[in-house]
């Protein structure tokens, strides 16, 4: 059991340290020599934070980071414990920490960050924080208490851009109008101006509410992006140009997913804000390997298998969009749980544009629906217009993943909600390690995985 | 809508925008949803100006499905925690009072439909407690979960062809008998009394049954009379 759970970012050391010394975080952060970066927002926190760590390391710095996404107070403390040497001495130049939106006020009050990155605000599991408006307000109030912190904000998201606080304290990043790689049809999260409540008008938009917006009533509009991505190309890997006040360069990422361009731009902006050399950003990003379940790539009998975490409509839509760019036949696995950490209300699945799969069903060989809410996922696909004969309900994760991998598709995509992710990864690794092994021993290994 | 398409019955969905003219009596089915507090306020203000038209449509037998905020809005008022009464449309004899805690979770119901008893499942998330007056009937009996107010054992409201509920998840796909009942009523109003052709509801019934069994196994609340 513990083996299968694998290396799930443990928060236990953090809990212990905070228990021993409540001021642990305040003391620990004093030993970080150069600065603290925090990353918050709905989607892309883990990837952005790890990209920031990569950029800093490329510049030759020692970095403390909560790389596996444990982003509540305990997880942040655990990152410091892990970074501490003998006698609790922390030898790091930078700490870069992803922080859950709801935890930001507490964490930021303990360790006032030098830089705060806000990626985006999308509707997340509704029953966790209440409403999106409340989340934005939480972050806004936390920022109000950080007068010295510089902000790195997504200019394309009106909900994020409104947090800006004056030119020398805010660096905006964004995407210029580019051809969208593929499109899913989506409802925008914020049709209304955050300043005056009237409907926003868009010159173009990339996905969800991200784009070039303007309020015709009060004049609130997308701020100019000091760090701007242009000419995005690619499918399995991404290439794009970054332009910033001091230069222009091309960046390549060894991972799919249009949304990852935003994550990379955020990390690039941190580098710009800290005055790092261009080379550190370009190399740090080029070397970047995704964390667990962030379009994590595996190989099964010579074909790529992707494992991706899904937790809200926008994230799922962007994951589907990334899948649409993969060429070849596909077997798809979707594990949907409704534990507290997943969000107990799964009605958000009805806001995901699965209809995009039905518009061009030819590449899909099978859809395996697993997890506690396997049946709901299957029903959602049926309503989206996915041919019923392609839909299989196999609640067990082991049987479901084996089923998906038994398909003949050229590509396999596994989507999983939070609480099914670590088990799915462990099962996947186990099945891949098993390789071509004969069927004997299978039952035994299956038992071990349960 | 899908259930009509699957039967090859023509269907058209119109979204009535804020301030846009609409004769509600021309529609077969009206849907009133919920939203965030801010969206709710905008929608309530818009519906105020349409109250009479909506009332005429309801009396004329138009099928209406109102969920959560849309449900509350049809009643007499919503009383806030501070005791202030926000007037509703007063089209249905019910009112809502803000409660001390949010009622969040899975719900299972027993519904009386023309064909017999049906079991419905869904998810509720509301802090308002709704109480029904004499002029309306409940939609169903709570088997697990809170329902209208967490105390009287009822969920939702029915009046003529209006169906109100706190359940989303969403409500209709997983409860095909209820969905078909609504469609049947809409067809009957048009004088098209044909029975709907049966569909393969294998996945629908599976999703319904699995959740019903899970929710009632963990059952948090007994029925109105305390019996199971
Ligand atoms: Zn405005």
């Amino acid at each position: 059991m513990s083996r299968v759970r694998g290396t799930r970012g443990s928060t236990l050391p953090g809990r212990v340290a905070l228990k021993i010394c409540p001021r642990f975080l305040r003391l620990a952060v004093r030993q970080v020599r150069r600065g603290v970066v925090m990353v918050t927002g709905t989607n892309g926190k883990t990837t952005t934070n790890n990209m920031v760590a990569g950029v800093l390391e490329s510049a030759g710095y020692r970095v403390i980071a909560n790389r596996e996404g444990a982003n509540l107070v305990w997880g942040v403390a655990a990152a410091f414990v892990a970074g501490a040497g003998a006698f609790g001495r922390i030898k790091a130049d930078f700490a870069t920490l992803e922080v859950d939106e709801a935890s930001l006020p507490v964490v930021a009050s303990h360790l006032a960050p030098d830089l705060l990155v806000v990626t985006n605000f999308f509707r997340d599991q509704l029953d966790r924080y209440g409403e999106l408006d409340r989340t934005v307000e939480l972050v806004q109030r936390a920022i109000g208490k950080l007068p010295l912190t510089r902000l790195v904000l997504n200019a394309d998201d009106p909900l994020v851009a409104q947090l800006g606080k004056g030119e020398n304290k805010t660096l905006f990043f964004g995407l210029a109008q580019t051809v969208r790689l593929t499109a899913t049809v989506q409802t925008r999260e914020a049709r209304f101006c955050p300043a005056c409540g009237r409907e926003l008008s868009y010159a173009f938009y990339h996905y969800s509410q991200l784009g070039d917006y303007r309020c015709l009533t009060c004049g609130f509009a997308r701020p100019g992006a000091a760090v701007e991505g242009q000419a995005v190309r690619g499918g399995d890997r991404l290439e794009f140009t970054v332009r910033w006040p001091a230069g222009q360069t091309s960046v390549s990422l060894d991972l799919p997913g249009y949304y990852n361009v935003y994550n990379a731009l955020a990390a690039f902006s941190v580098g710009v804000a800290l005055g790092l050399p261009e080379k550190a950003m370009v190399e740090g990003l080029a070397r970047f390997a995704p964390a667990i379940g962030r379009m994590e790539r595996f190989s099964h009998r010579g074909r790529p298998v992707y494992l991706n975490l899904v937790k809200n409509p926008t994230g799922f839509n962007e994951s589907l969009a990334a899948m649409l760019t993969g060429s070849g036949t596909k077997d798809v696995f979707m594990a949907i749980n409704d534990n507290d950490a997943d969000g107990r209300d799964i009605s958000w699945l009805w806001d995901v544009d699965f209809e995009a799969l039905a518009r061009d069903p030819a590449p899909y060989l099978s859809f395996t629906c697993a997890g506690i809410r396997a049946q709901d996922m299957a029903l959602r696909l049926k309503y989206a217009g996915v041919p019923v004969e392609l839909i299989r309900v196999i609640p067990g994760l082991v049987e479901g993943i084996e089923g998906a991998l038994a398909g003949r598709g050229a590509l396999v995509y596994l989507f999983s909600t939070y609480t099914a992710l670590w088990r799915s990864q462990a099962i996947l690794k186990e099945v891949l390690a098993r390789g071509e092994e004969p069927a004997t021993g299978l039952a035994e290994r299956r038992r071990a995985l349960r | 809508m899908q259930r009509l398409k699957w039967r090859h019955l023509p269907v058209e969905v119109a979204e009535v925008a804020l301030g846009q003219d609409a004769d509600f009596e021309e529609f077969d089915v009206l849907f009133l949803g919920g939203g965030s507090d801010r969206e709710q306020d905008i929608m309530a203000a818009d519906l105020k100006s349409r109250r009479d038209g909506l009332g005429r449509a309801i009396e004329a037998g138009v099928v209406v499905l109102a969920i959560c905020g849309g449900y509350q809005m049809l009643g007499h008022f919503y009383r806030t925690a501070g005791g202030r009464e926000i007037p509703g449309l007063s089209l249905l004899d019910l009112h809502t009072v803000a409660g001390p805690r949010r009622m969040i979770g899975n719900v299972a119901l027993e519904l009386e439909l023309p064909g017999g008893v049906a079991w419905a499942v869904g998810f509720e998330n509301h802090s308002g407690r709704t109480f029904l007056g004499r002029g309306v009937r409940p939609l169903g009996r709570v088997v697990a979960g809170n329902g209208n107010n967490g105390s009287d054992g009822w969920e939702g409201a029915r009046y003529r062809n209006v169906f109100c509920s706190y359940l989303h998840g969403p409500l209709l796909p997983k409860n095909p008998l209820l969905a078909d009942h609504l469609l049947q009523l809409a067809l009957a109003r048009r004088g098209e009394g044909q029975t709907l052709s049966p569909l393969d509801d294998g996945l629908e019934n599976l999703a319904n049954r699995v959740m019903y069994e899970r929710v009632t196994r963990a059952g948090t609340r007994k029925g109105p009379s305390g019996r199971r």
Side-chain angles (χ1 to χ4, degrees), chain A residues 126-127 131 133 192 338 344-345 347 350 372-373 375-376 378-379 382-385 388 391 393, chain B residues 2-3 6 36 38 104-106 123 125 168-170 173-174 200 203-204 206-207 210-211 214:
Chain A
L126 270 178
D127 58 338
E131 312 277 356
D133 294 351
F192 302 105
D338 67 352
R344 289 192 295 143
D345 182 1
S347 55
W350 293 79
I372 300 171
R373 302 304 289 263
Q375 301 81 11
D376 287 86
L379 184 58
K382 177 182 174 184
Y383 263 76
V388 179
I391 305 172
V393 178
Chain B
Q2 277 292 27
R3 299 185 68 78
W6 289 332
S36 70
R38 190 180 54 179
I104 303 174
N106 290 300
F123 196 90
N125 184 349
H168 59 265
K174 250 182 301 182
D200 176 2
L203 282 177
E204 284 83 347
L206 181 67
V210 168
M211 268 321 277
R214 176 177 152 204

Side-chain angles (χ1 to χ4, degrees), chain B residues 19-199:
Chain B
Q20 180 193 330
D21 276 338
D23 180 358
F24 290 135
E25 280 178 78
E26 283 177 6
F27 292 90
D28 296 304
V29 180
L30 293 172
F31 174 74
L32 297 174
S36 70
D37 290 349
R38 190 180 54 179
E39 291 164 340
Q40 198 88 30
D41 291 345
I42 296 170
M43 180 171 141
D46 183 63
L47 276 175
K48 284 266 151 64
S49 65
R50 307 169 182 272
R51 182 196 180 270
D52 296 343
L54 187 57
R56 276 194 302 275
I58 287 173
E59 294 305 321
V62 172
V63 174
V64 179
L65 178 65
I67 303 291
C68 211
Y71 170 19
Q72 296 174 349
M73 229 177 270
L74 290 176
H76 298 304
F77 58 83
Y78 182 100
R79 191 185 300 138
T80 65
R84 197 164 59 91
E85 281 186 10
I86 302 168
L89 298 172
S90 252
L91 292 170
L92 263 59
D93 184 14
L94 52 92
H95 69 270
T96 305
V97 180
R101 66 181 173 90
R102 263 192 113 70
M103 298 186 275
I104 303 174
N106 290 300
V107 185
L109 302 180
E110 229 175 71
L111 307 178
E112 296 280 349
L113 294 177
V117 174
W119 289 274
V121 291
F123 196 90
E124 64 180 342
N125 184 349
H126 55 110
S127 57
R129 286 143 201 269
T130 296
F131 298 90
L132 306 182
R134 289 169 182 274
V136 295
R137 293 181 284 141
L139 176 69
R141 193 176 74 86
V142 175
V143 183
N146 290 288
N148 281 343
N149 47 51
S151 53
D152 68 14
W154 299 114
E155 207 290 320
R158 284 213 47 189
Y159 171 75
R160 290 191 176 264
N161 288 340
V162 182
F163 296 77
C164 300
S165 177
Y166 276 115
L167 269 58
H168 59 265
L171 179 64
L172 295 183
K174 250 182 301 182
N175 299 294
L177 292 173
L178 177 63
D180 277 357
H181 180 51
L182 264 61
L183 296 179
Q184 198 78 65
L185 288 171
L187 286 169
R189 175 172 164 258
R190 280 190 172 201
E192 296 176 35
Q194 86 251 39
T195 39
L196 293 163
S197 52
L199 293 174

